[in-house]
Amino acid sequence: MMQKIQRFGAAMFVPVLLFPFAGIVVGLTILFKNPDIMGSMADPNGMWYKFWTVVEEGGWTVFRQMPLLFVIGIPIGLAKKAHARACMEAIVTYLTFNYFINAILTLWGDKFGVDFSQEVGGVSGLTMIAGIKTLDTSIIGAIVISSIVVVLHNRYFDTKLPDFLGIFQGSSFVVIIAFLVMLPVALITAYVWPIVQHGIASLQGFLASSGVFGVWLYTFLERILIPTGLHHFIYGPFVFGPAVVEGGIAKYWMEHLSEYATSAHSLKEMFPEGGFALHGMSKIFGIPGIALAMYVTAKPEKRKQVSGLLISAALTAVIAGITEPIEFTFLFVAPWLFAVHAVLAATMAAVMYAFGVVGNMGGGLLEIATANWIPLFKYHSMTYLIQWIIGFAFMIIYFFVFRYLILKFNVATPGREADDSAETKLYTKADYKAKKQAGQNASGNSYTVQALQFLDALGGPENIVSVTNCATRLRVSVNDESKVAPDSAFKSAGAHGVVRNGKAIQVIVGLSVPQVREQFEKALEEKGFKTGS
C-alpha cells in the first residue's frame, strides 16, 4: 500500500513542476504592466503594455488548464506501459466525462439541485473545460478520472481481440471501456459533487477561520511528511485544489495579483487563505541557519570541505526551493532533528501569518520574489519588511537550536564523523561495466553512469518491479529489499540519500532525476526487463 501511495504522490507531482516558471512569467508581466513601477511605459495603449499582455496570456496557460495537465500527468507517472497512449486515452475519456455531465445537467439539472443556466465561475460551481460547460470538479475530478483510465489501460491495453475486431485493440479498446464506465461515473458525479461542493465551501470557511493554529498545523504536516513522500497530499489540495479557495491558492493568487499590487488594504484582509502557502519560508530562512550550524560544529580540519557541500545545498534550497539535499543530510543520522525542523518551520509560518503575511510562498526565492515581493512591494512594503525581520530572526533561532542539539547529542553531521579518514573506495566490477556501457551507448552520458550504478545498488534488473519519479527522487519498488545495497553505495553514485519503506525505495537524486530515470528505464529495456513504471 505504501508503494502505491508513494507512486500516486509522485504522479501528482508531474504537472506541478510546470508551475514555478509559469508563476515567474505572470509575476514579471504584472510587474512590467504596473504604472506605479514602470511609469508612462505602462500605458495600456502603448506597445510596451500590449507586448507584456501577450506574454502574460501565455503565462496563464498552466493556471487556466490545471485539470487537463493533471489528467495528462497521472498516466505519465502511473501507466505501466505505452505512457503516451495512456495520456491520449485519459484526455479523451476526461472530455467524454465532461460532455456527459453537460448533457445530464442540461436535461435534468434541477433534479440534481444544479441551476445549469448560471454563468460559470463565482459560486455557481460551474466551469468551462476545453469549451465544455460542466461541474467544477477541479483537479480532484481530473485525478479521479485519469486514475480510472490508468487502471483500465494497465489491465486492457494488451488485450488480444479476434482478428476481425483488431481495429479496436489497444487504445481504442481502453477508450471504449472507459466510455461505458464514464456514463455511471458522470451520473454519480452529477448527484454527489454538488453536495461535495457545499461541504468544501464549509471546509473553506472553517480553515480560513482556523487562524494561526491552522497555518501552524498545515505547515508542520507539510514538512514532517517529506521523508515519506506523502507531503504532496497535504499541500496539493491547498495550493492546487479547492481546500481553502476555488481553483487553489496558486491560481487564485496570480489571478488577483494585479488587484493586490494596486491596493493599500492589508494582504491578510484581502486574502487570509494565503497563510496556507507560507511553507517556502523554511527553505529561504531555515535551511541557511541549519547549514551554518553544521559548518560551525564540523571539525576544524573538515570545515573547508564541508563548506563546499553546505553552500551548494543551501543555495539550492533558497533559490530553487529544493531542500532535500540538506534535509536528508541530517535526517538519516538523527531523524528527530527533522521533527525539530518541522516544528520550527511551522512556528515561523504561524508567526508570519499572525503579523499579516500571506501569499503564494511555497517555492524558492526566485519564484516567491517574482510572484509576491517585487510586484507588491510598493503598497505592502511594511508587511514584507516585517516578514524578513521574522525570517532572519528564525534563521538565528534555527542556527542556535541546531548548533546546541548537534553538540549536546554529538550528532554525526557532515564533518563530525567518528572516522577522521577520508572515504576510500575500491571500484567494483559494476562500476567499470557502468562506465564502459555508458561510453558505448551514451557517449559518456553521466546520467547513464549514475542510472546503472543505482540499478546495481538496487539489486539488479531482476529485483525491479516499478520505477517512477517526483521532483528530486527516483521511486522504485523492488522484489526483495534485502538485495538493496547500503546507503553508502547510492551516495558514492551521487545520491543525496535513500528512503526505505519496505519494498518501496526512494533514491534522492536531485533535479536531474527525470534524466536519470530515463536512462534507468533504458538500461532495463536493454537487459530485457520490463517493469510497471
Side-chain angles (χ1 to χ4, degrees):
M1 181 59 68
M2 178 60 73
Q3 296 175 43
K4 293 179 180 178
I5 292 174
Q6 288 178 344
R7 289 194 66 209
F8 186 76
M12 283 180 58
F13 200 80
V14 172
V16 173
L17 295 173
L18 303 175
F19 283 88
F21 173 72
I24 290 171
V25 170
V26 174
L28 288 176
T29 55
I30 290 175
L31 169 69
F32 293 145
K33 291 168 60 179
N34 190 330
D36 291 327
I37 297 175
M38 304 307 300
S40 59
M41 292 180 66
D43 178 5
N45 296 318
M47 183 56 67
W48 173 271
Y49 189 96
K50 292 177 180 179
F51 170 77
W52 288 111
T53 297
V54 172
V55 175
E56 180 185 0
E57 285 302 301
W60 281 111
T61 303
V62 172
F63 297 102
R64 291 174 179 168
Q65 305 298 335
M66 273 200 292
L68 294 180
L69 294 177
F70 277 91
V71 166
I72 296 170
I74 294 296
I76 293 175
L78 294 181
K80 295 181 179 179
K81 65 198 80 173
H83 296 77
R85 291 181 179 272
C87 292
M88 179 187 70
E89 297 156 11
I91 194 69
V92 170
T93 301
Y94 182 64
L95 295 177
T96 302
F97 163 78
N98 282 295
Y99 272 118
F100 283 155
I101 292 288
N102 176 277
I104 290 170
L105 295 181
T106 298
L107 296 172
W108 305 295
D110 56 330
K111 297 186 183 301
F112 291 96
V114 177
D115 181 3
F116 206 59
S117 64
Q118 297 181 87
E119 293 294 323
V120 300
V123 296
S124 68
L126 306 175
T127 190
M128 297 291 290
I129 299 291
I132 309 166
K133 187 177 182 181
T134 183
L135 281 176
D136 187 2
T137 57
S138 186
I139 66 169
I140 297 175
I143 291 171
V144 170
I145 300 303
S146 189
S147 298
I148 291 173
V149 175
V150 169
V151 172
L152 297 175
H153 173 85
N154 290 340
R155 183 167 183 178
Y156 295 110
F157 181 78
D158 289 333
T159 300
K160 181 72 171 70
L161 299 178
D163 291 343
F164 69 93
L165 295 176
I167 192 174
F168 298 114
Q169 289 182 165
S171 289
S172 296
F173 189 54
V174 175
V175 170
I176 290 170
I177 298 174
F179 184 94
L180 299 175
V181 172
M182 286 304 108
L183 277 168
V185 170
L187 188 63
I188 293 171
T189 302
Y191 175 76
V192 172
W193 193 252
I195 300 174
V196 173
Q197 286 180 322
H198 289 300
I200 290 175
S202 300
L203 177 65
Q204 290 172 350
F206 170 75
L207 290 174
S209 62
S210 62
V212 173
F213 176 73
V215 171
W216 187 95
L217 182 61
Y218 162 82
T219 308
F220 174 77
L221 292 174
E222 189 276 335
R223 283 290 96 185
I224 200 68
L225 288 176
I226 281 181
T228 67
L230 303 181
H231 57 298
H232 305 306
F233 294 98
I234 298 298
Y235 74 78
F238 286 80
V239 178
F240 306 111
V244 289
V245 65
E246 289 299 323
I249 291 173
K251 180 181 178 182
Y252 188 93
W253 178 260
M254 300 309 296
E255 287 178 340
H256 294 79
L257 189 59
S258 57
E259 173 189 337
Y260 302 150
T262 54
S263 173
H265 287 288
S266 161
L267 287 174
K268 188 176 180 180
E269 175 187 338
M270 293 188 288
F271 188 51
E273 298 85 355
F276 293 96
L278 298 178
H279 47 283
M281 294 299 94
S282 65
K283 305 173 183 180
I284 294 177
F285 298 108
I287 295 300
I290 296 173
L292 185 59
M294 289 182 176
Y295 172 78
V296 299
T297 56
K299 298 176 181 178
E301 65 273 18
K302 290 192 173 184
R303 284 181 181 171
K304 184 176 181 180
Q305 178 185 358
V306 167
S307 65
L309 298 173
L310 294 176
I311 289 173
S312 62
L315 287 176
T316 300
V318 171
I319 296 174
I322 303 299
T323 59
E324 286 167 327
I326 199 164
E327 286 178 337
F328 279 84
T329 298
F330 63 83
L331 175 64
F332 293 104
V333 294
W336 54 271
L337 274 180
F338 199 90
V340 174
H341 170 42
V343 170
L344 289 175
T347 305
M348 174 164 51
V351 171
M352 287 184 177
Y353 181 71
F355 278 87
V357 178
V358 297
N360 183 21
M361 303 185 184
L365 180 64
L366 184 59
E367 181 183 352
I368 290 174
T370 52
N372 297 268
W373 298 339
I374 296 175
L376 303 184
F377 192 79
K378 179 179 176 64
Y379 286 100
H380 306 285
S381 57
M382 185 56 64
T383 299
Y384 292 140
L385 288 174
I386 292 173
Q387 179 185 21
W388 297 338
I389 291 171
I390 295 172
F392 283 112
F394 266 88
M395 184 185 296
I396 296 172
I397 293 172
Y398 260 97
F399 168 74
F400 282 108
V401 168
F402 269 75
R403 179 181 178 276
Y404 170 78
L405 294 175
I406 290 171
L407 294 175
K408 175 71 175 179
F409 296 98
N410 195 26
V411 181
T413 49
R416 292 178 54 81
E417 299 85 356
D419 185 2
D420 290 332
S421 62
E423 180 185 8
T424 302
K425 179 179 182 294
L426 296 177
Y427 288 93
T428 64
K429 183 178 180 181
D431 296 329
Y432 170 76
K433 289 172 65 178
K435 185 176 181 180
K436 183 177 180 181
Q437 184 168 345
Q440 294 173 344
N441 299 336
S443 301
N445 188 333
S446 61
Y447 300 131
T448 305
V449 175
Q450 194 173 44
L452 289 169
Q453 290 174 332
F454 288 157
L455 180 57
D456 180 68
L458 288 163
E462 64 281 354
N463 199 37
I464 307 301
V465 176
S466 64
V467 58
T468 184
N469 69 277
C470 64
T472 58
R473 310 182 193 189
L474 188 69
R475 299 171 180 243
V476 183
S477 297
V478 297
N479 288 309
D480 184 357
E481 63 268 34
S482 66
K483 293 183 179 180
V484 179
D487 291 1
S488 57
F490 293 92
K491 291 181 179 179
S492 67
H496 299 293
V498 184
V499 178
R500 303 167 188 260
N501 287 295
K503 296 182 179 181
I505 309 297
Q506 299 178 29
V507 184
I508 315 302
V509 179
L511 293 174
S512 62
V513 69
Q515 293 81 9
V516 174
R517 175 189 172 183
E518 181 180 358
Q519 297 303 321
F520 191 94
E521 291 178 325
K522 186 179 295 185
L524 288 172
E525 292 174 3
E526 290 176 353
K527 295 175 184 294
F529 288 86
K530 291 185 178 181
T531 71
S533 61

